[in-house]
Each structure stands twice: as C-alpha cells, then as structure tokens.
Amino acid sequence: MKKSSLIITTIALASFAFGGAEAQAVVSSTHTSDNKINFTSGEGVVSPPVNPINPDNPDVPNPVDPTDPDNPGTGQDGPLSIDYVSNIKFGEHKITGKNIAYKAKNANPFVQVTDLRGASDGWSLSAKMSEFKSGNKVLRGATLAFKDGVVKAGSSSNISVAPTKSDILFDNTESKTVMNAKDKGGRGTWLTVWSGTDQANEAIQLNVVAGTPEANTEYTSSITWELADAPK
C-alpha cells in the first residue's frame, strides 16, 4: 500500500513541476508583417459569356446558345460592358386567320453585363426594338414580350447586391428597362436568363396580328441594347 502511494505522489509532483514550467513562459519579442494588394478598374478586359444554366460551370457549352450557334458574344471590353445577347429565333410557320403568339425556339436566351469599375456607382440596361420588316413590308401590330426572367450572378460567391430585372413588352420603338443595378450593386458579371422549353419557350413570345403576314416573307427586327453607367 505504501509503495503504491509513493508512485502516485511522484507522478503528481512531476506533472505539477512541468505544468509550472509552462506557466512561467513569457513572450520575449513581437513583430508585425504586412500583406498588400492593389486593384485598378478592369479597363480593356473582355468578359466572355458564361453558361446561362449554371454560370459557375467552367465548361461553357460551345455555342452557349445552340439555337444561336454563330453568336460568340459582343467582344466588348470593360470596365462596363454588354458581354452577350441572344438572337431570338421563331422559325417558320404557316399563316393562319388568327392572332398567334409564337414561342421562341431558344431554350435559355440571355443577356450578360459585367461591371469591373470597382466604384459601386450602379448601372442600367435598357433596350428598344425596331419594327419587324422585310424590305418595305411591315408586320404591323406585332409585339415582342420577354417575361419571367431570372437574374443570375456570374459567380455564386459574388456578394454584391443583385440588379433587379423587369418584364418587357416591345410594342413601339420606346426604350424599356431590362436590368437596373442601384448604387453599390451590380458589381461583377450578371445575367438575366429567360429559360423555357426548347423550341417552345413561353418566356419570350412574338404576338402577330391576323391579316398582317405575307407568304414567302422573312421579317426581321433589331433590338438595340443600351448600358448606362448609372442606375435609373
């Protein structure tokens, strides 16, 4: 019994001795080091189009819009740029005696904007459409609707405030707001994507009035997209 007590006592004293040595350690010297990084605006930077379905996916399909295969993007450089806009296709249809809403063939058409100014000033994207024409022939009364768009960041880790989007009805040549980034928002890359069924996308529809189409005629309209360096 005495032997056992002696061993236990020795261990306890050793532990106390080592613990006491650790407790007496003091800091003898300190110094600080600096870590620095400097940024300038993305002047001259070209931001390529991202995957509209999953912007974080680096394997961007080629082309990004299979219905619009010859569209590589605008090639505009920064620091504030429109990077990509889909050309909307409606295909070929037989003339009917009714008003018809034709659905876009594109499954995931989108518009992409990048702000690399680093100034948090905000921005606004607007658009206006010309009449559908073929030479001097006009598709009178035609309107084009973009609805149910979804705003996506080019990177899911982007902490900037997202721009807001608007449904659009092109019914004349007036400019319509598409996206609007308030002050301190919209930094980095942002998309509005109008996703729907491939070959029958209800998010984008061309409304044609009965009695206006002419046979064997392809009508074309242009949308002019305008990016301003301040919000609306």
Side-chain angles (χ1 to χ4, degrees):
M1 292 293 293
K2 291 182 179 180
K3 185 175 182 179
S4 298
S5 298
L6 179 60
I7 294 173
I8 293 171
T9 302
T10 303
I11 293 173
L13 289 172
S15 176
F16 176 81
F18 283 107
E22 291 178 357
Q24 292 174 2
V26 295
V27 176
S28 60
S29 177
T30 64
H31 189 73
T32 60
S33 62
D34 294 328
N35 309 291
K36 295 183 179 180
I37 184 170
N38 185 41
F39 292 99
T40 60
S41 70
E43 189 76 35
V45 175
V46 176
S47 300
V50 301
N51 185 328
I53 302 171
N54 180 8
D56 273 325
N57 185 351
D59 299 323
V60 178
N62 188 16
V64 293
D65 185 349
T67 310
D68 189 18
D70 298 322
N71 184 355
T74 67
Q76 292 183 6
D77 56 14
L80 185 62
S81 59
I82 301 172
D83 308 322
Y84 187 90
V85 177
S86 292
N87 298 302
I88 308 303
K89 309 294 180 67
F90 291 98
E92 183 176 283
H93 302 273
K94 292 184 180 295
I95 295 174
T96 73
K98 300 179 180 180
N99 294 349
I100 300 290
Y102 296 99
K103 301 169 185 176
K105 298 289 186 182
N106 316 58
N108 298 287
F110 69 102
V111 58
Q112 177 181 314
V113 170
T114 296
D115 181 2
L116 304 177
R117 294 172 296 169
S120 301
D121 293 330
W123 49 265
S124 61
L125 177 70
S126 59
K128 55 186 176 182
M129 186 186 80
S130 66
E131 292 182 308
F132 276 84
K133 288 185 175 182
S134 179
N136 59 358
K137 300 175 183 178
V138 178
L139 196 61
R140 298 187 306 278
T143 62
L144 180 60
F146 286 65
K147 64 179 183 178
D148 300 329
V150 176
V151 174
K152 298 182 180 182
S155 171
S156 61
S157 59
N158 189 334
I159 63 172
S160 179
V161 177
T164 57
K165 56 85 180 178
S166 301
D167 288 346
I168 316 159
L169 178 64
F170 293 110
D171 53 1
N172 50 39
T173 57
E174 293 181 1
S175 183
K176 314 283 184 177
T177 300
V178 182
M179 283 196 287
N180 193 45
K182 295 293 187 180
D183 184 31
K184 303 189 185 307
R187 300 173 75 170
T189 295
W190 295 92
L191 303 78
T192 293
V193 186
W194 294 274
S195 293
T197 303
D198 186 28
Q199 303 301 306
N201 187 347
E202 294 185 355
I204 300 181
Q205 298 188 36
L206 174 62
N207 302 284
V208 177
V209 179
T212 56
E214 295 195 20
N216 304 314
T217 303
E218 182 178 67
Y219 296 91
T220 302
S221 168
S222 296
I223 297 176
T224 301
W225 303 80
E226 300 173 329
L227 182 59
D229 61 1
K232 286 189 176 180

